[in-house]
Amino acid sequence: TSIRNDLNSGTVQNASVYRLPVAVLPPQNLSQRKVLPSDAEVQRLRNIAKTKQKLQAHALCHGVTSLREDNETKFIFDPYVGGKPFGPFVLRMRFLRTQAVLRGHTLPHSVPTRSLYREYFEDAEDHSEQVAPFIRSVAKHLRAFLSRKHQCDQLRESFAEDIRDFQAANQCTAISFSICLKDEDNKEQITISIAMIYDIDGERPKPESLKVSFDPPNTTEDDMESLKEQCLVFYNKRLTEAVVGNEFIVSSEH
């Protein structure tokens, strides 16, 4: 019987009737009948799918996943900052009864990983209760550092001709720079110097840490108060957004 003729006529028979290549024939030990999964198997597959969705959602929201490999648990950090992926960074731990041992990591030196480990585990009797808050704290410190550094890089790139005396010290927790502004009324230029302090796990400046000064110093009191009030936006926005969204008139077009 020709399979071509049967295909054309719509009367295809069982594969065993035709002389087909062995590669396309079903295994001899398998039944030709389709076996439907039981209700329990369907429920198990549904539960597995839901668990995978939850893990994917957790990874997207928190940027942290974990896996067990070579008697170690690896926590993998994949943070997104400014819409860009950073990482992966890996932290390795081994669990021995009630103890969690830090084996190593690839996190930046700016993240105080070992200090945080001592903070959470040194005096804890049951280490298992400290793992989750420890990992959350590490993730927060990592994201904060990457965010501060990304903001600094973005600000310098966006306003390369306008930003002067830029400094980012102590893991980008002490940031200062100057911007040249132009007064619309008298066309004079004013240089405003901004300095701010960040917590080691913060992405925005510490409250009341923002310092503003002006050159020339004979700027009117009203102008100084107005500019200082405008600078409060740095507490709530990223550095570049604060400069662009403010009413500053920067010397070049952006």
Side-chain angles (χ1 to χ4, degrees):
T1 303
S2 171
I3 190 172
R4 180 181 300 174
N5 294 334
D6 288 353
L7 285 170
N8 291 332
S9 63
T11 57
V12 180
Q13 304 178 52
N14 191 285
S16 61
V17 175
Y18 308 102
R19 300 182 63 180
L20 299 175
V22 176
V24 302
L25 291 175
Q28 295 296 325
N29 58 344
L30 295 181
S31 172
Q32 298 297 315
R33 296 177 58 189
K34 293 183 179 179
V35 179
L36 296 177
S38 64
D39 292 343
E41 291 173 327
V42 171
Q43 184 62 40
R44 178 173 175 272
L45 292 173
R46 183 182 292 114
N47 292 338
I48 291 174
K50 288 182 178 180
T51 300
K52 291 181 68 175
Q53 285 182 334
K54 290 179 180 179
L55 290 173
Q56 290 173 346
H58 186 276
L60 290 172
C61 294
H62 301 281
V64 183
T65 53
S66 66
L67 59 90
R68 186 168 177 79
E69 187 177 89
D70 298 330
N71 296 322
E72 293 181 337
T73 299
K74 294 183 177 180
F75 295 92
I76 304 170
F77 301 83
D78 292 284
Y80 270 73
V81 176
K84 296 181 179 181
F86 291 82
F89 302 96
V90 179
L91 184 147
R92 297 166 26 243
M93 300 188 74
R94 187 171 183 179
F95 296 96
L96 303 172
R97 295 184 180 179
T98 61
Q99 288 192 334
V101 181
L102 179 62
R103 299 295 300 273
H105 64 85
T106 61
L107 294 159
H109 293 298
S110 300
V111 179
T113 308
R114 296 196 177 276
S115 297
L116 291 172
Y117 175 79
R118 289 192 294 269
E119 176 184 339
Y120 282 91
F121 294 101
E122 194 170 68
D123 298 325
E125 295 182 1
D126 187 356
H127 284 194
S128 62
E129 297 180 355
Q130 301 299 318
V131 174
F134 168 66
I135 294 299
R136 284 196 296 267
S137 183
V138 170
K140 183 179 180 181
H141 281 78
L142 173 63
R143 176 179 173 80
F145 166 69
L146 294 175
S147 176
R148 295 193 304 269
K149 187 177 184 302
H150 179 67
Q151 291 180 65
C152 291
D153 294 341
Q154 190 177 45
L155 183 66
R156 283 184 288 196
E157 292 173 5
S158 300
F159 299 100
E161 298 180 4
D162 304 299
I163 297 294
R164 303 176 182 176
D165 304 321
F166 188 94
Q167 294 185 2
N170 299 329
Q171 292 81 45
C172 299
T173 58
I175 298 173
S176 62
F177 56 89
S178 299
I179 296 182
C180 184
L181 311 178
K182 182 181 292 185
D183 192 317
E184 285 185 313
D185 297 328
N186 53 30
K187 305 304 180 182
E188 292 183 356
Q189 287 189 344
I190 301 174
T191 299
I192 177 171
S193 298
I194 300 172
M196 59 197 86
I197 302 295
Y198 294 71
D199 285 322
I200 191 67
D201 62 348
E203 298 183 49
R204 299 290 182 269
K206 294 172 61 175
E208 301 182 3
S209 71
L210 185 67
K211 306 297 182 185
V212 183
S213 59
F214 303 91
D215 185 24
N218 59 351
T219 306
T220 66
E221 190 69 25
D222 289 343
D223 287 342
M224 291 175 62
E225 290 302 319
S226 176
L227 288 171
K228 285 182 179 180
E229 186 173 347
Q230 289 176 237
C231 288
L232 296 178
V233 72
F234 285 97
Y235 286 121
N236 303 313
K237 293 183 177 293
R238 299 170 63 83
L239 293 177
T240 302
E241 293 174 352
V243 173
V244 174
N246 224 315
E247 297 180 2
F248 297 154
I249 303 175
V250 186
S251 58
S252 58
E253 295 294 331
H254 293 284

